[in-house]
Amino acid sequence: MTVHDKAAGLIRDVVAAMGLTLDVQVVDTPDAIRLEISGDGGEVLLKRKGEALDALQQIVNTGFRRELDDDRSFVVDCMGFRRGKDDELKQMTRFTMEKAKLSGPQELGPLNPYSRRLVHLTVAEDPSMSSESIGDAFLKTVIISKK
């Protein structure tokens, strides 16, 4: 059994324990291993800004990321919710980068580790900009500034 299958199996078990029968598809992309959840009742995972989805993603990454043979991580999505939120965050990061070019360092956050990584990767697309996480808790703030 591959690590992909184990991760998908864990998600199936967790949602089954919640009384849901949902489908989990594994999509292997160059950036991440996406675990796409679909089916009736999936919106339960999206309540409270997707907290259950974030928790599932954290559990899957904590449990299985070390078994991957590269530096990718798992992304758990349900009904395209995460993809939409990711696009929103990238757009906000680009806006904040433009603001930082004009007015000096800008803060984004507090953000969870997955969101911070997305911000850092987006900032890295512009060689004249830099980003740094500050804070000592699970949720940290990202400072975006000119190099």
Side-chain angles (χ1 to χ4, degrees), residues 4-146:
H4 301 66
D5 295 334
K6 287 190 220 172
L10 174 71
I11 291 175
R12 281 188 198 97
D13 291 347
V14 169
V15 297
M18 294 170 70
L20 303 169
T21 308
L22 299 174
D23 186 41
V24 181
Q25 295 290 323
V26 178
V27 181
D28 210 331
T29 71
D31 315 341
I33 293 120
R34 296 188 65 86
L35 299 164
E36 307 273 355
I37 304 169
S38 59
D40 288 341
E43 56 277 351
V44 167
L45 299 173
L46 308 180
K47 288 182 178 173
R48 300 176 75 185
K49 297 182 183 173
E51 280 182 4
L53 208 56
D54 287 344
L56 266 176
Q57 181 167 292
Q58 187 70 27
I59 291 166
V60 167
N61 276 300
T62 300
F64 300 110
R65 189 166 180 207
R66 280 186 227 98
E67 293 182 41
L68 295 173
D69 50 10
D70 53 33
D71 64 349
R72 293 180 303 167
S73 55
F74 291 95
V75 175
V76 179
D77 197 358
C78 182
M79 298 160 42
F81 177 83
R82 172 116 28 230
R83 193 177 302 273
K85 287 291 179 195
D86 289 357
D87 291 345
E88 236 176 76
L89 183 58
K90 287 178 187 175
Q91 196 172 355
M92 176 57 86
T93 301
R94 289 186 189 102
F95 173 79
T96 306
M97 287 165 60
E98 290 307 312
K99 204 169 166 189
K101 286 177 184 177
L102 299 171
S103 328
Q106 300 291 316
E107 290 185 4
L108 262 183
L111 301 169
N112 64 32
Y114 173 78
S115 297
R116 285 195 309 273
R117 182 171 189 273
L118 210 53
V119 169
H120 290 307
L121 289 172
T122 304
V123 171
E125 293 170 3
D126 184 335
S128 70
M129 301 300 290
S130 71
S131 59
E132 174 189 8
S133 294
I134 58 167
D136 57 1
F138 178 75
L139 297 176
K140 297 180 184 174
T141 299
V142 177
I143 307 290
I144 299 174
S145 58
K146 287 196 281 191

